[in-house]
Every structure is written in C-alpha cells, then in structure tokens.
Amino acid sequence: MCGIVGYVGSKRVVPVIFEGLKRLEYRGYDSAGIVYLENEALVKFRCEGKLINLENHVGEAYLSSSCVGIGHTRWATHGAPTTDNAHPHSDCSGKLAIVHNGIIENYHSLREELRERGHKFTSETDTEVLAHLIEEYLEDDLVKAVRLALDRVEGSYALGVIWTEEPHTLIAARNHSPLVLGVHDEAGSFMASDIPALLPYTNRVVFLEDGELAVLTEKGHTLFSIATGEKKERGEVVIDWSASMAEKAGFRHFMLKEIFEQPQAIANTISGRVNLETGEVTLPEIGLDDQALGKIKRIFLVACGTSWHAALVAKYWIEKWARIPVEVDIASEYRYRTLIVDESVLTVAISQSGETADTLAGIRLAGKLGSRVVTICNVVGSTMTREADGTIYTHAGPEIGVASTKAFTAQLAALFLLALFLAEKKGTIDLEKRQELAKALVGIGPVVEKELPLIQEQIGTLIDSFYDCRDFLFIGRGMNFPIALEGALKLKEISYIHAEGYAAGELKHGPIALIDKEMPILAIVPRDGVYSKVISNVEEIKARQGRLVLLGSRGDTQLRTLTDDVIYLPEIHEEMNPILYTIPAQLLAYEIAARRGCDVDQPRNLAKSVTVE
Ligand code: F6R
C-alpha cells in the first residue's frame, strides 16, 4: 500500500516521478504528491485523489529542469485522504522532505516528544513524525541523521528522503516494506516500491533488505546497515519484464488485458516444468529432495484473498493425487490460532505480490516453528521469495489491475504442478495417470485462448439483465466451490454489488432464505463428478424463482430447461475446470463493472499490494 518513487541523475525528475507513480498507482490512489529540488529549495505539489489531479495541478512545473526528487501515491492509514495528509512531508525548516510506505507504530509517543521540543506538525500522519525526527538529529550529515531517527522507530517503512543541503543525494531505506533500486550507467539512480515503476528506464535492479539504507547519487548507489552503518554489497538482478508489459496495449482496462493474457501466463508458468511423455514435473527451485519429502506429513497453504481461493482449489488436487493432508489458512487468521506446526509440515504461501503483510508474517511464524516454507509468487525478488526456502514463480508478467486475474489462474497452474510433483515423488499415481494429468494441464492454456472471445460474447448477452442488480450469489461444489468464492469476490470488489459465494449444498442450511425472484444466482455446473448434486441445488433455487445464470458444459441441454441464461464451455478434463470456469466469472464481473461505469482497475478503498496487517 502506497507507492514511492525517487530519482537522482541526468534526466528531468518530474516526468520520471510521474511515469513511476502511474505504474504504482495500483498501490493506492487516495492522494499523491511530488517534491523536487530547484534553486537550492524544495518545490512541493500535493493533491487529493488520483494522480491525474496532481498532474493537472503541477502544470508547467512538469518541465522543471530539476534532476532530484521523490513522489508518492497514497493509500490512507493514519489520517484522512486530504491534501494536508498527502506525502511528501517536510520538517519545520521546509528543507527536508520524505515519502513513506508503511506504518510508524510508535508515532504517537514520538510526536508528543517532538511537539514538546517545539516541532510544528501540519498533518495527522505517522510519516510526518519521521521528517521531524530526522530534523532533530540533523547537523551536517543526512545519512547519520536518518540512521539515528530510524533507530528510534518501530514499525514498517520504505522511504525516500531529500535535503536541500545535500542536493545531489537521495536516501532510501527499508524495513518490512518493499523497496527496489534501479541501476542505469548514464541516467543515474532510481528507487521505487515495485519494479514496474523502474521499467521505462531500466531492468537492472537491486533489492534492499530489511534494515538497510541506500545513498543514491547520479553515479550509483551505496548500501549500508541502518543499525551499524557498515557498508554492504549486493548484486544486481536483471528483470525479464519490459515496460510495455505494464501498459494497456489497446485494452480499455488493465483487468481486461490481463484476463486475455491468461493463456500466455499459464503457458509461461508450466513451460519447462512438465514432461508430457513421462508426466514428470521438475521443480528444483523448491529444494525438496527425497529425504526432505519423506519428512512431510502435512501441508499448510497460507494466503489472502484471491490467492487464498487458489489454495482452496489446491487442497482438492494435493489430497486427491498426492494423498497428503492439507490445511488451508487465511493468512490474517493463521497466526492467531493454536498452530500444530513443526518440521513435518510443509508451508506453502501463495501470493501474487510476495509482499502481503499477513502472508509474510505467516511464513515467518511457520519458519520459526520448524516448517519448510515454499512460496508461489509472481514477483521476482519480492520479500516472500527471499525469505522462503524455495519459490515456484508464476510467470504471469506484471499484474496492474487491482483485481487479480491472470495471477490467479497462473497460481492454479503452479499448484497443479506442485500436486503432480508431490504425487510422483510419493508414488501415489502411476505413469498413465501422470501422463493424463500432465496432458490436461498443458492443454488448458490453448482451451482458454480459444474460448475467451466466445465467453466474452456470451457474457455480453447477460449484462443488460444483471448490471443493475443489488446482490449476486455464486454457487459451486467440490473444486468449483472456491471458484464461486472467487467469482463473488471479483464482482463485489470492482462493481460494488454485494456478492457471496457458497458451497452449493450449503444453500439449504440458511442462504436459501435470500432467494426470491429478484436474486441472481450464478451456478457452476460442469458435467463432473458432482453434476447431479449441483443440478438438484439449482432445482431448489428454480423452485423459489431465483434468477439463475448457469455455467455448464456445451451440449448439456438440460441446463436450458432451467434458465435461458446459460454460458456454455467445452467439456475438458475435470481437474482443469477450476481454471476454465474462472474465466466467465472474471468476465461477468468485468463487464458488469464496466457497464456501471466503475473504476475497474482502481476500485475504491483497495490497493493491490497489502503491506499493512
Ligand atoms: C482480489 C485480490 C486480493 C489479493 C490479496 C492477496 O482480486 O487481488 O484479494 O489476492 O490481497 O494478494 P497477494 O496475492 O499479492 O498476496
């Protein structure tokens, strides 16, 4: 949450900061701000609302010749999303400015102390405390003052600081919030909360670790430990994402583009990892040799939101094929229950961003309890990937739309790979079954590719009838129950229609009371092992005049006898249905939200990377 960008070098800083912030706006869009150094003074602009407001407000200053500055796009934690609370924040002298992502937990006591010492505060934020605290220690050495200030701070931060008295320097520091440096031999030094902000300028990055500070100049950067001041060395990583991957490419919204990128995201995730002839899966990156595997008696899947839905599907796959008991935990709950976790447990954290605070806290706890930790993650070098014992990367490319789409189906592909890998190692499936399942997995990308335009067309016919409904229920059974949850989440988060997902068989234990002739219910009814059970649940809804939308198998004529609103999908290997049936759920949410004029890519109150607990 919150995106920060900083730059020092030979380019005009204002466009560099705006380019970066545009690519980070998914992290928060309550307000935005920029500050740069010009004629030995700080020039600051801040605005409520989206970045576009700030861009309009900056006017001709966009062309400033300044080459040093920092910027911020905010997701409010402390203090309302007003201009006064927008970053950058300054000290009393107005010579120092700071942008911050994270939470200063002891800000209250620090603020009181600083107030008593005469500091004047102009915002309600925790961040402003940092500006004044640095000022308190500032004599003639900015690095020293920042280190001393950070030594007093409890909580999380990724921050950028500039000071008029050291006009060629930008300080970056991190603790429990993501921060990455961009390296360019001629253009200078960049910093940002996430890689896409750097991509227009460089794909050479250096990841800061917790407790580190970097001094950035036009010539490069130097890393230090905040606690000891000791110099540190860290190699560059070359990222294989391009700037254009983080652009809309003619699509109306990032979300739609990302829905259509799913065949590629799935193919990239599977590529090189599965052998069709032998059905064998290779995942050397998780470092699970036969001995390590022999110790594993249970698996915990830990994740939040959409990634948690992927975990719910994976439970079916792993238990069915690898015969290992699986527990699925919402990361924000995981830490607050009595955990029976030790070295016999494999913990798998699933996260698009690799930065979600709750999931991160979960894997840290699991590690402490002796569990081996593997992540399934989309962002190279993110905190989870660095802290886990191994990572299975999903190669979905940058996901910019706040609602997760391609990352989800890529996670499903990665989790299916993991299930096959474990099954083969445990010897719970034979060659023939391995080949069959590997073929099903490799085949799903092309099916999605072919079906996407057809599904979009079919969804289009429903929008007039459903775009203005108040509520929506989604039901599914077995492996498709989590897809019902995911469909409901997609719809509620981008269209603001109240939506709930239920296990179809559970409806009669309460939720069926909601059904009347106004209530739309989407049921996932492929011809699979639980088909007749779901049909019975659908009949129960029809008997109560619910407005049914059915997602089912092409050629299933029975569905049309239940409702006119049927989306037909091809009959494929049952195990791949969760991936295929996700597509109409995503497109339904997208088309309804777009029709309602909602801000699809940046829904209200949300941020993509949830780095606060
Ligand atoms: C919903 C959505 C969120 C994320 C959740 C976890 O569309 O995107 O529910 O899935 O915040 O994020 P990651 O996967 O980055 O840990």
Side-chain angles (χ1 to χ4, degrees):
M1 337 211 87
C2 299
I4 67 171
V5 181
Y7 172 67
V8 50
S10 56
K11 291 177 171 292
R12 289 172 188 262
V13 72
V14 181
V16 172
I17 300 290
F18 271 103
E19 264 310 309
L21 290 181
K22 271 180 204 156
R23 292 169 152 75
L24 294 184
E25 219 185 354
Y26 71 83
R27 301 178 68 89
Y29 29 84
D30 291 336
S31 61
I34 180 170
V35 65
Y36 54 87
L37 265 161
E38 193 173 61
N39 302 328
E40 296 169 26
L42 293 180
V43 181
K44 181 155 76 172
F45 295 92
R46 298 181 300 168
C47 251
E48 256 180 70
K50 296 206 168 181
L51 197 57
I52 186 73
N53 298 354
L54 181 70
E55 216 166 338
N56 293 335
H57 180 51
V58 160
E60 290 194 355
Y62 197 84
L63 303 173
S64 161
S65 58
S66 168
C67 297
V68 187
I70 48 183
H72 188 271
T73 177
R74 180 166 185 245
W75 188 84
T77 57
H78 295 60
T82 59
T83 302
D84 281 345
N85 287 331
H87 299 214
H89 290 288
S90 303
D91 64 347
C92 297
S93 73
K95 290 181 165 188
L96 178 131
I98 182 166
V99 287
H100 166 227
N101 164 215
I103 292 182
I104 305 303
E105 285 163 7
N106 58 339
Y107 88 100
H108 195 72
S109 58
L110 289 172
R111 192 177 165 114
E112 288 317 302
E113 176 191 322
L114 289 161
R115 244 198 202 123
E116 274 168 28
R117 294 182 59 84
H119 289 265
K120 299 268 179 294
F121 287 83
T122 58
S123 80
E124 302 155 278
T125 64
D126 52 335
T127 302
E128 194 186 354
V129 165
L130 271 177
H132 292 278
L133 195 58
I134 297 170
E135 180 180 30
E136 190 64 22
Y137 291 109
L138 199 50
E139 286 167 5
D140 56 2
D141 183 342
L142 182 59
V143 172
K144 188 172 161 201
V146 172
R147 284 188 46 224
L148 288 169
L150 292 180
D151 193 44
R152 304 268 328 270
V153 156
E154 288 161 22
S156 58
Y157 51 78
L159 49 93
V161 188
I162 56 173
W163 185 38
T164 53
E165 308 307 296
E166 289 185 22
H168 306 292
T169 306
L170 160 62
I171 306 269
R174 93 160 253 179
N175 199 42
H176 302 310
S177 290
L179 196 58
V180 56
L181 308 183
V183 180
H184 193 292
D185 294 337
E186 287 94 47
S189 304
F190 304 79
M191 53 156 258
S193 300
D194 198 0
I195 296 163
L198 306 173
L199 291 176
Y201 307 102
T202 184
N203 62 351
R204 292 162 53 200
V205 306
V206 171
F207 295 102
L208 249 68
E209 302 279 358
D210 285 343
E212 283 181 355
L213 174 149
V215 179
L216 279 66
T217 66
E218 186 176 352
K219 303 232 165 343
H221 65 265
T222 317
L223 296 185
F224 298 94
S225 150
I226 296 171
T228 65
E230 186 195 333
K231 263 198 189 168
K232 303 189 106 184
E233 296 294 331
R234 174 95 17 83
E236 289 173 26
V237 176
V238 177
I239 301 294
D240 66 355
W241 290 356
S242 67
S244 64
M245 285 167 93
E247 282 159 13
K248 282 191 204 152
F251 283 88
R252 194 164 152 216
H253 294 102
F254 278 111
M255 182 178 175
L256 188 60
K257 176 187 172 231
E258 288 159 5
I259 289 173
F260 274 82
E261 283 174 343
Q262 290 179 107
Q264 196 59 52
I266 295 167
N268 292 347
T269 300
I270 300 167
S271 172
R273 286 171 164 164
V274 61
N275 180 330
L276 272 176
E277 308 248 301
T278 60
E280 274 171 1
V281 169
T282 39
L283 292 173
E285 56 272 51
I286 58 176
L288 273 176
D289 57 21
D290 290 346
Q291 200 192 353
L293 262 167
K295 286 193 198 145
I296 291 168
K297 301 284 174 263
R298 280 181 309 141
I299 295 179
F300 272 62
L301 303 177
V302 183
C304 299
T306 287
S307 299
W308 177 67
H309 297 154
L312 291 173
V313 176
K315 176 180 166 72
Y316 289 87
W317 286 333
I318 297 172
E319 290 187 339
K320 182 167 175 188
W321 300 116
R323 318 260 335 136
I324 304 173
V326 175
E327 288 197 42
V328 182
D329 268 76
I330 292 175
S332 54
E333 293 294 317
Y334 175 78
R335 281 183 303 156
Y336 302 108
R337 69 184 183 89
T338 309
L339 288 172
I340 306 179
V341 170
D342 56 23
E343 60 282 358
S344 70
V345 169
L346 172 68
T347 303
V348 181
I350 305 158
S351 174
Q352 188 285 131
S353 62
E355 302 292 350
T356 302
D358 289 315
T359 312
L360 196 52
I363 66 170
R364 285 180 180 148
L365 176 59
K368 265 197 204 127
L369 294 171
S371 170
R372 185 177 186 84
V373 176
V374 167
T375 63
I376 293 188
C377 187
N378 196 41
V379 178
V380 174
S382 55
T383 309
M384 278 181 222
T385 67
R386 282 179 288 128
E387 296 202 6
D389 300 311
T391 298
I392 304 174
Y393 278 110
T394 46
H395 296 294
E399 192 179 65
I400 310 293
V402 164
S404 189
T405 52
K406 63 176 179 173
F408 176 66
T409 45
Q411 284 167 351
L412 290 178
L415 285 158
F416 196 74
L417 283 171
L418 180 64
L420 289 188
F421 172 83
L422 294 169
E424 184 217 322
K425 295 279 177 227
K426 288 261 165 190
T428 47
I429 53 174
D430 60 18
L431 172 69
E432 206 180 321
K433 194 46 119 183
R434 279 208 311 265
Q435 289 168 325
E436 175 195 316
L437 295 173
K439 192 166 155 226
L441 177 63
V442 171
I444 186 62
V447 172
V448 171
E449 171 130 53
K450 182 159 168 249
E451 292 299 318
L452 261 162
L454 305 176
I455 298 172
Q456 194 181 29
E457 206 181 305
Q458 296 181 80
I459 292 285
T461 63
L462 300 180
I463 299 308
D464 276 351
S465 317
F466 292 98
Y467 81 96
D468 61 351
C469 58
R470 263 193 31 201
D471 309 278
F472 221 118
L473 303 183
F474 289 69
I475 59 167
R477 243 180 143 128
M479 280 184 290
N480 294 316
F481 161 47
I483 305 308
L485 295 175
E486 175 61 5
L489 176 60
K490 286 290 90 93
L491 185 65
K492 73 181 113 179
E493 69 181 331
I494 61 169
S495 74
Y496 318 138
I497 292 172
H498 168 242
E500 299 297 337
Y502 291 107
E506 187 62 12
L507 221 55
K508 55 188 168 298
H509 299 288
I512 201 162
L514 294 169
I515 290 173
D516 60 17
K517 61 182 178 1
E518 304 297 327
M519 178 64 86
I521 304 104
L522 179 143
I524 303 174
V525 212
R527 271 201 289 236
D528 60 9
V530 287
Y531 172 76
S532 55
K533 303 283 172 210
V534 186
I535 287 289
S536 304
N537 303 136
V538 167
E539 293 280 9
E540 289 152 15
I541 295 164
K542 189 173 160 65
R544 288 157 183 85
Q545 297 180 302
R547 296 170 67 193
L548 280 162
V549 176
L550 300 180
L551 308 184
S553 307
R554 206 164 277 152
D556 182 352
T557 48
Q558 189 181 355
L559 301 184
R560 277 257 189 259
T561 65
L562 295 162
T563 174
D564 289 338
D565 295 324
V566 183
I567 307 289
Y568 282 115
L569 299 164
E571 216 163 327
I572 56 168
H573 196 294
E574 189 169 324
E575 299 299 304
M576 290 297 108
N577 278 337
I579 295 182
L580 181 61
Y581 279 77
T582 296
I583 313 294
Q586 293 170 340
L587 279 168
L588 180 76
Y590 171 78
E591 296 293 351
I592 286 182
R595 174 65 179 273
R596 288 163 71 95
C598 297
D599 193 343
V600 172
D601 286 332
Q602 295 175 349
R604 69 184 178 208
N605 305 337
L606 291 175
K608 188 150 187 76
S609 190
V610 185
T611 53
V612 294
E613 288 175 34

mmCIF file of all heavy atoms in Angstrom, residues 362-388:
data_model
loop_
_atom_site.group_PDB
_atom_site.id
_atom_site.type_symbol
_atom_site.label_atom_id
_atom_site.label_comp_id
_atom_site.label_asym_id
_atom_site.label_seq_id
_atom_site.Cartn_x
_atom_site.Cartn_y
_atom_site.Cartn_z
ATOM 1 N N GLY A 362 2.862 -14.859 8.314
ATOM 2 C CA GLY A 362 2.542 -16.286 8.433
ATOM 3 C C GLY A 362 3.751 -17.158 8.132
ATOM 4 O O GLY A 362 4.044 -18.104 8.866
ATOM 5 N N ILE A 363 4.473 -16.831 7.061
ATOM 6 C CA ILE A 363 5.603 -17.720 6.726
ATOM 7 C C ILE A 363 6.748 -17.543 7.716
ATOM 8 O O ILE A 363 7.479 -18.482 8.005
ATOM 9 C CB ILE A 363 6.097 -17.588 5.256
ATOM 10 C CG1 ILE A 363 6.705 -16.222 4.970
ATOM 11 C CG2 ILE A 363 5.003 -17.905 4.276
ATOM 12 C CD1 ILE A 363 7.407 -16.183 3.609
ATOM 13 N N ARG A 364 6.859 -16.330 8.251
ATOM 14 C CA ARG A 364 7.919 -16.138 9.265
ATOM 15 C C ARG A 364 7.629 -17.017 10.484
ATOM 16 O O ARG A 364 8.516 -17.662 11.025
ATOM 17 C CB ARG A 364 7.983 -14.661 9.676
ATOM 18 C CG ARG A 364 8.648 -13.826 8.598
ATOM 19 C CD ARG A 364 8.739 -12.367 8.955
ATOM 20 N NE ARG A 364 9.396 -11.651 7.865
ATOM 21 C CZ ARG A 364 9.152 -10.400 7.524
ATOM 22 N NH1 ARG A 364 8.271 -9.682 8.177
ATOM 23 N NH2 ARG A 364 9.798 -9.832 6.532
ATOM 24 N N LEU A 365 6.364 -17.055 10.862
ATOM 25 C CA LEU A 365 5.980 -17.872 12.017
ATOM 26 C C LEU A 365 6.187 -19.358 11.709
ATOM 27 O O LEU A 365 6.757 -20.108 12.519
ATOM 28 C CB LEU A 365 4.516 -17.586 12.377
ATOM 29 C CG LEU A 365 3.930 -18.424 13.496
ATOM 30 C CD1 LEU A 365 4.725 -18.236 14.783
ATOM 31 C CD2 LEU A 365 2.466 -18.034 13.740
ATOM 32 N N ALA A 366 5.753 -19.777 10.520
ATOM 33 C CA ALA A 366 5.898 -21.189 10.151
ATOM 34 C C ALA A 366 7.370 -21.591 10.180
ATOM 35 O O ALA A 366 7.726 -22.660 10.693
ATOM 36 C CB ALA A 366 5.312 -21.418 8.760
ATOM 37 N N GLY A 367 8.219 -20.728 9.645
ATOM 38 C CA GLY A 367 9.660 -20.992 9.630
ATOM 39 C C GLY A 367 10.188 -21.156 11.054
ATOM 40 O O GLY A 367 10.962 -22.075 11.344
ATOM 41 N N LYS A 368 9.740 -20.253 11.939
ATOM 42 C CA LYS A 368 10.196 -20.325 13.342
ATOM 43 C C LYS A 368 9.772 -21.632 13.990
ATOM 44 O O LYS A 368 10.455 -22.164 14.854
ATOM 45 C CB LYS A 368 9.572 -19.169 14.134
ATOM 46 C CG LYS A 368 10.473 -17.977 14.221
ATOM 47 C CD LYS A 368 10.010 -17.044 15.321
ATOM 48 C CE LYS A 368 10.523 -15.655 15.017
ATOM 49 N NZ LYS A 368 9.495 -14.646 15.008
ATOM 50 N N LEU A 369 8.618 -22.139 13.592
ATOM 51 C CA LEU A 369 8.115 -23.385 14.184
ATOM 52 C C LEU A 369 8.784 -24.627 13.576
ATOM 53 O O LEU A 369 8.442 -25.753 13.921
ATOM 54 C CB LEU A 369 6.592 -23.473 14.016
ATOM 55 C CG LEU A 369 5.779 -22.414 14.786
ATOM 56 C CD1 LEU A 369 4.317 -22.453 14.376
ATOM 57 C CD2 LEU A 369 5.906 -22.626 16.291
ATOM 58 N N GLY A 370 9.672 -24.402 12.635
ATOM 59 C CA GLY A 370 10.443 -25.522 12.086
ATOM 60 C C GLY A 370 9.956 -26.024 10.742
ATOM 61 O O GLY A 370 10.518 -26.967 10.190
ATOM 62 N N SER A 371 8.899 -25.384 10.199
ATOM 63 C CA SER A 371 8.351 -25.850 8.926
ATOM 64 C C SER A 371 9.240 -25.389 7.773
ATOM 65 O O SER A 371 9.824 -24.317 7.819
ATOM 66 C CB SER A 371 6.946 -25.261 8.751
ATOM 67 O OG SER A 371 6.476 -25.486 7.455
ATOM 68 N N ARG A 372 9.315 -26.198 6.735
ATOM 69 C CA ARG A 372 9.939 -25.749 5.497
ATOM 70 C C ARG A 372 8.920 -24.865 4.782
ATOM 71 O O ARG A 372 7.726 -25.170 4.757
ATOM 72 C CB ARG A 372 10.280 -26.983 4.660
ATOM 73 C CG ARG A 372 11.015 -26.657 3.433
ATOM 74 C CD ARG A 372 11.420 -27.865 2.635
ATOM 75 N NE ARG A 372 12.245 -27.379 1.555
ATOM 76 C CZ ARG A 372 13.539 -27.139 1.674
ATOM 77 N NH1 ARG A 372 14.158 -27.395 2.800
ATOM 78 N NH2 ARG A 372 14.221 -26.655 0.651
ATOM 79 N N VAL A 373 9.413 -23.750 4.187
ATOM 80 C CA VAL A 373 8.475 -22.791 3.580
ATOM 81 C C VAL A 373 8.773 -22.621 2.094
ATOM 82 O O VAL A 373 9.896 -22.327 1.703
ATOM 83 C CB VAL A 373 8.565 -21.417 4.275
ATOM 84 C CG1 VAL A 373 7.655 -20.412 3.570
ATOM 85 C CG2 VAL A 373 8.191 -21.516 5.745
ATOM 86 N N VAL A 374 7.738 -22.813 1.307
ATOM 87 C CA VAL A 374 7.836 -22.592 -0.142
ATOM 88 C C VAL A 374 6.827 -21.506 -0.499
ATOM 89 O O VAL A 374 5.739 -21.465 0.073
ATOM 90 C CB VAL A 374 7.507 -23.906 -0.894
ATOM 91 C CG1 VAL A 374 7.282 -23.649 -2.368
ATOM 92 C CG2 VAL A 374 8.620 -24.924 -0.695
ATOM 93 N N THR A 375 7.197 -20.616 -1.423
ATOM 94 C CA THR A 375 6.194 -19.632 -1.884
ATOM 95 C C THR A 375 5.834 -19.926 -3.331
ATOM 96 O O THR A 375 6.654 -20.454 -4.087
ATOM 97 C CB THR A 375 6.705 -18.169 -1.855
ATOM 98 O OG1 THR A 375 7.789 -18.063 -2.759
ATOM 99 C CG2 THR A 375 7.128 -17.748 -0.494
ATOM 100 N N ILE A 376 4.619 -19.536 -3.672
ATOM 101 C CA ILE A 376 4.215 -19.499 -5.079
ATOM 102 C C ILE A 376 3.969 -18.030 -5.344
ATOM 103 O O ILE A 376 3.081 -17.422 -4.734
ATOM 104 C CB ILE A 376 2.968 -20.365 -5.313
ATOM 105 C CG1 ILE A 376 3.378 -21.809 -5.076
ATOM 106 C CG2 ILE A 376 2.387 -20.141 -6.710
ATOM 107 C CD1 ILE A 376 2.368 -22.842 -5.422
ATOM 108 N N CYS A 377 4.784 -17.425 -6.173
ATOM 109 C CA CYS A 377 4.812 -15.967 -6.217
ATOM 110 C C CYS A 377 5.061 -15.469 -7.640
ATOM 111 O O CYS A 377 5.710 -16.145 -8.435
ATOM 112 C CB CYS A 377 5.932 -15.502 -5.284
ATOM 113 S SG CYS A 377 5.952 -13.727 -5.086
ATOM 114 N N ASN A 378 4.581 -14.259 -7.912
ATOM 115 C CA ASN A 378 4.702 -13.713 -9.274
ATOM 116 C C ASN A 378 5.797 -12.665 -9.398
ATOM 117 O O ASN A 378 6.135 -12.282 -10.508
ATOM 118 C CB ASN A 378 3.350 -13.107 -9.692
ATOM 119 C CG ASN A 378 3.246 -12.879 -11.174
ATOM 120 O OD1 ASN A 378 3.687 -13.731 -11.960
ATOM 121 N ND2 ASN A 378 2.714 -11.748 -11.577
ATOM 122 N N VAL A 379 6.279 -12.149 -8.286
ATOM 123 C CA VAL A 379 7.209 -11.016 -8.374
ATOM 124 C C VAL A 379 8.619 -11.446 -7.946
ATOM 125 O O VAL A 379 8.861 -11.767 -6.781
ATOM 126 C CB VAL A 379 6.709 -9.817 -7.543
ATOM 127 C CG1 VAL A 379 7.696 -8.669 -7.612
ATOM 128 C CG2 VAL A 379 5.344 -9.366 -8.051
ATOM 129 N N VAL A 380 9.496 -11.396 -8.918
ATOM 130 C CA VAL A 380 10.886 -11.807 -8.684
ATOM 131 C C VAL A 380 11.511 -10.908 -7.625
ATOM 132 O O VAL A 380 11.374 -9.688 -7.675
ATOM 133 C CB VAL A 380 11.693 -11.697 -10.007
ATOM 134 C CG1 VAL A 380 13.168 -11.982 -9.782
ATOM 135 C CG2 VAL A 380 11.112 -12.642 -11.036
ATOM 136 N N GLY A 381 12.179 -11.526 -6.674
ATOM 137 C CA GLY A 381 12.917 -10.761 -5.670
ATOM 138 C C GLY A 381 12.050 -10.179 -4.573
ATOM 139 O O GLY A 381 12.553 -9.464 -3.701
ATOM 140 N N SER A 382 10.749 -10.457 -4.572
ATOM 141 C CA SER A 382 9.889 -9.894 -3.526
ATOM 142 C C SER A 382 10.259 -10.516 -2.172
ATOM 143 O O SER A 382 10.953 -11.535 -2.103
ATOM 144 C CB SER A 382 8.416 -10.155 -3.856
ATOM 145 O OG SER A 382 8.222 -11.527 -4.056
ATOM 146 N N THR A 383 9.772 -9.892 -1.105
ATOM 147 C CA THR A 383 10.228 -10.283 0.229
ATOM 148 C C THR A 383 9.980 -11.772 0.505
ATOM 149 O O THR A 383 10.839 -12.470 1.036
ATOM 150 C CB THR A 383 9.519 -9.417 1.284
ATOM 151 O OG1 THR A 383 9.690 -8.061 0.896
ATOM 152 C CG2 THR A 383 10.103 -9.623 2.658
ATOM 153 N N MET A 384 8.782 -12.253 0.132
ATOM 154 C CA MET A 384 8.490 -13.671 0.431
ATOM 155 C C MET A 384 9.466 -14.595 -0.274
ATOM 156 O O MET A 384 9.907 -15.595 0.292
ATOM 157 C CB MET A 384 7.071 -14.022 0.001
ATOM 158 C CG MET A 384 6.045 -13.619 1.019
ATOM 159 S SD MET A 384 4.407 -14.099 0.444
ATOM 160 C CE MET A 384 3.507 -12.646 0.905
ATOM 161 N N THR A 385 9.808 -14.252 -1.504
ATOM 162 C CA THR A 385 10.708 -15.147 -2.251
ATOM 163 C C THR A 385 12.087 -15.158 -1.611
ATOM 164 O O THR A 385 12.804 -16.138 -1.692
ATOM 165 C CB THR A 385 10.842 -14.744 -3.736
ATOM 166 O OG1 THR A 385 11.522 -13.488 -3.817
ATOM 167 C CG2 THR A 385 9.501 -14.632 -4.411
ATOM 168 N N ARG A 386 12.444 -14.042 -0.975
ATOM 169 C CA ARG A 386 13.767 -14.006 -0.349
ATOM 170 C C ARG A 386 13.779 -14.681 1.013
ATOM 171 O O ARG A 386 14.791 -15.165 1.468
ATOM 172 C CB ARG A 386 14.260 -12.563 -0.277
ATOM 173 C CG ARG A 386 14.769 -12.140 -1.666
ATOM 174 C CD ARG A 386 15.254 -10.737 -1.735
ATOM 175 N NE ARG A 386 14.144 -9.816 -1.666
ATOM 176 C CZ ARG A 386 14.064 -8.804 -0.834
ATOM 177 N NH1 ARG A 386 15.012 -8.587 0.037
ATOM 178 N NH2 ARG A 386 13.019 -8.002 -0.867
ATOM 179 N N GLU A 387 12.621 -14.722 1.647
ATOM 180 C CA GLU A 387 12.594 -15.324 2.990
ATOM 181 C C GLU A 387 12.258 -16.816 2.978
ATOM 182 O O GLU A 387 12.541 -17.521 3.935
ATOM 183 C CB GLU A 387 11.601 -14.556 3.864
ATOM 184 C CG GLU A 387 12.062 -13.120 4.054
ATOM 185 C CD GLU A 387 11.480 -12.466 5.281
ATOM 186 O OE1 GLU A 387 10.800 -13.139 6.068
ATOM 187 O OE2 GLU A 387 11.727 -11.257 5.434
ATOM 188 N N ALA A 388 11.630 -17.276 1.904
ATOM 189 C CA ALA A 388 11.215 -18.683 1.868
ATOM 190 C C ALA A 388 12.398 -19.593 1.535
ATOM 191 O O ALA A 388 13.421 -19.134 1.030
ATOM 192 C CB ALA A 388 10.123 -18.860 0.826
#
